[in-house]
């Protein structure tokens, strides 16, 4: 078999449907209440992430590499939830199940790009914590705002290129039969499974993208915390050890909330019933965007202090 003939072939015409149909849940009554619940989760996510970005922007004491990454995490959470939830709510609360081919590709691109950035932002934050604990005396020279911005810019470029590759290969597929996508959104794997020509390049991409965007970042974060644990084990004072570890608790909480459900769901995705898969994916996609700002407000002393300052001096920038 010519592996990439259908995707990179010479002078091949492709059959593209005018639209896809998002089917959503099957046979479950009262699901509109679930979408209303997602709407309230979305509102909390928007308010929380906007508040975190505003606090970091207004407080000059938070113009540090760590909070550059936290700001970008809040931004990608806000963009991720906004790219996904409003369209899902419009589709299933107002029965707009048909989505044009081009809109579906754009929907897929923005959703996957921002979801990818959530994982990559956590890598940036783990790098910041690793440098702060392993090289406390040289942290300010090793990790600067410029270096953190450069790292984040590289991650954005990586997420965009990876998602464009996946979406681009989908445009090389023909759809001759069903145009029904059994999901709440334009899912990459479900779209290429509908193709009637050779979808092998998309299958390969569908395998490697989760490795690149999910498993590899998780492995880097895990390795960074093994290094942190080794460094802290050498610290004689238990009090100093706990003080250093406390600076990682917010990040560790966010990592657990994002990666543990995602890795489990992607691991057993093919074995799950459609309804269970949709609920799991929707909650995994939207819940971290709601919880992340809450965690950083509750577990980060600098943000608590900044909020207290803003409360007592609302008209003054720090």
């Amino acid at each position: 078999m010519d592996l990439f003939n259908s995707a990179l072939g010479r002078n091949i015409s492709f059959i593209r449907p005018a639209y896809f149909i998002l089917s959503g849940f099957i046979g479950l009554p009262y699901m509109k209440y679930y979408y209303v619940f997602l709407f309230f989760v979305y509102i909390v996510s928007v308010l929380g992430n906007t508040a975190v970005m505003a606090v970091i922007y207004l407080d000059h004491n938070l113009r540090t590499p760590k909070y550059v990454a936290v700001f970008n995490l809040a931004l990608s959470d806000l963009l991720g939830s906004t790219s996904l939830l409003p369209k899902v709510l419009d589709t299933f609360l107002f029965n707009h199940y048909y989505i044009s081919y081009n809109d579906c590709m754009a929907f897929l691109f923005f959703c996957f790009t921002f979801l990818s950035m959530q994982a990559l932002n956590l890598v940036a934050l783990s790098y910041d914590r690793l440098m702060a604990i392993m090289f406390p005396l040289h942290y300010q020279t090793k990790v600067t705002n410029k270096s953190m911005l450069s790292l984040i810019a590289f991650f954005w470029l990586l997420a965009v290129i990876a998602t464009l590759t996946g979406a681009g290969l989908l445009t090389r597929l023909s759809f001759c039969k069903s145009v029904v996508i059994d999901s709440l959104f334009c899912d990459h794997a479900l779209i290429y499974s509908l193709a009637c020509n050779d979808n092998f390049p998309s299958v390969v991409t569908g395998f490697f993208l989760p490795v690149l965007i999910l498993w590899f970042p998780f492995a880097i974060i895990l390795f960074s915390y093994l290094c942190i644990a080794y460094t802290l084990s050498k610290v004689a004072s238990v009090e100093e050890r706990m003080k250093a570890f406390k600076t990682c608790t917010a990040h560790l909480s966010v990592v657990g909330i994002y990666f543990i459900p995602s890795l489990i769901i992607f691991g057993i995705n093919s074995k799950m019933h459609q309804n269970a898969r949709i609920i799991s994916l929707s909650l995994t996609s939207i819940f971290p965007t709601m919880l992340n700002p809450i965690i950083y407000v509750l577990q980060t002393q600098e943000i608590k202090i900044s909020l207290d300052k803003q409360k007592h001096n609302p008209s003054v920038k720090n």
Side-chain angles (χ1 to χ4, degrees):
M1 180 180 66
D2 186 359
L3 298 182
F4 291 91
N5 182 57
S6 65
L8 303 173
R10 306 165 301 275
N11 222 7
I12 298 176
S13 60
F14 302 100
I15 302 172
R16 295 175 181 171
Y19 56 82
F20 288 104
I21 302 172
L22 299 172
S23 67
F25 295 99
I26 296 178
L28 291 181
Y30 311 115
M31 287 313 297
K32 288 191 183 294
Y33 294 108
Y34 178 70
Y35 299 123
V36 172
F37 165 72
L38 290 182
F39 171 74
F40 284 109
V41 172
Y42 171 65
I43 294 299
V44 174
S45 174
V46 170
L47 293 176
N49 286 296
T50 302
V52 168
M53 289 190 293
V55 168
I56 295 172
Y57 174 76
L58 293 172
D59 191 343
H60 289 276
N61 295 321
L62 298 180
R63 306 287 178 85
T64 63
K66 174 182 176 181
Y67 288 100
V68 168
V70 172
F71 184 96
N72 193 61
L73 176 64
L75 176 63
S76 58
D77 282 348
L78 178 63
L79 294 175
S81 58
T82 300
S83 67
L84 176 65
L85 259 297
K87 181 59 181 176
V88 168
L89 297 175
D90 175 66
T91 299
F92 296 100
L93 281 179
F94 302 102
N95 303 324
H96 298 154
Y97 303 115
Y98 291 77
I99 180 170
S100 71
Y101 179 89
N102 289 334
D103 286 349
C104 192
M105 293 298 110
F107 191 19
L108 179 149
F109 170 76
F110 287 112
C111 285
F112 277 85
T113 297
F114 298 138
L115 287 173
S116 299
M117 274 308 300
Q118 291 172 21
L120 295 172
N121 280 324
L122 295 178
V123 174
L125 283 164
S126 71
Y127 167 73
D128 174 82
R129 291 300 84 206
L130 179 67
M131 294 295 104
I133 291 175
M134 290 190 70
F135 308 102
L137 299 179
H138 304 286
Y139 169 72
Q140 291 185 338
T141 57
K142 287 182 177 290
V143 184
T144 63
N145 285 351
K146 183 178 179 180
S147 65
M148 182 58 74
L149 285 169
S150 299
L151 180 62
I152 289 171
F154 169 74
F155 284 154
W156 274 107
L157 184 63
L158 176 63
V160 168
I161 291 175
T163 310
L164 272 179
T165 301
L169 288 173
L170 290 180
T171 65
R172 313 293 290 180
L173 298 177
S174 292
F175 301 89
C176 315
K177 299 178 182 178
S178 176
V179 293
V180 177
I181 302 173
D182 296 328
S183 183
L184 298 181
F185 66 104
C186 294
D187 192 313
H188 178 260
L190 296 180
I191 292 176
Y192 72 65
S193 66
L194 297 175
C196 56
N197 61 339
D198 185 7
N199 64 0
F200 184 77
S202 289
V203 173
V204 173
T205 305
F207 173 80
F208 280 107
L209 284 182
V211 173
L212 178 66
I213 299 301
L214 193 63
W215 289 99
F216 191 54
F218 180 70
I220 293 175
I221 293 170
L222 184 61
F223 177 75
S224 70
Y225 273 102
L226 289 174
C227 294
I228 288 172
Y230 177 74
T231 302
L232 292 180
S233 69
K234 292 183 174 182
V235 177
S237 170
V238 175
E239 184 179 346
E240 289 296 319
R241 202 180 301 167
M242 293 306 298
K243 183 180 178 181
F245 181 75
K246 193 175 180 180
T247 65
C248 303
T249 54
H251 180 248
L252 275 172
S253 299
V254 173
V255 167
I257 289 170
Y258 180 83
F259 280 103
I260 293 175
S262 297
L263 292 174
I264 292 173
I265 291 168
F266 275 96
I268 62 173
N269 189 27
S270 60
K271 301 176 183 178
M272 297 175 72
H273 185 271
Q274 177 177 329
N275 292 337
R277 174 174 50 80
I278 290 174
I279 290 177
S280 300
L281 286 174
S282 59
L283 293 179
T284 302
S285 300
I286 191 63
F287 252 78
T289 68
M290 179 189 73
L291 295 176
N292 290 351
I294 296 173
I295 289 170
Y296 270 100
V297 169
L298 293 178
Q299 295 190 12
T300 307
Q301 192 65 26
E302 297 95 331
I303 291 183
K304 288 182 182 179
I305 293 171
S306 180
L307 285 172
D308 188 59
K309 287 181 180 178
Q310 293 297 329
K311 181 179 178 181
H312 290 92
N313 302 283
S315 61
V316 179
K317 284 189 179 183
N318 295 299

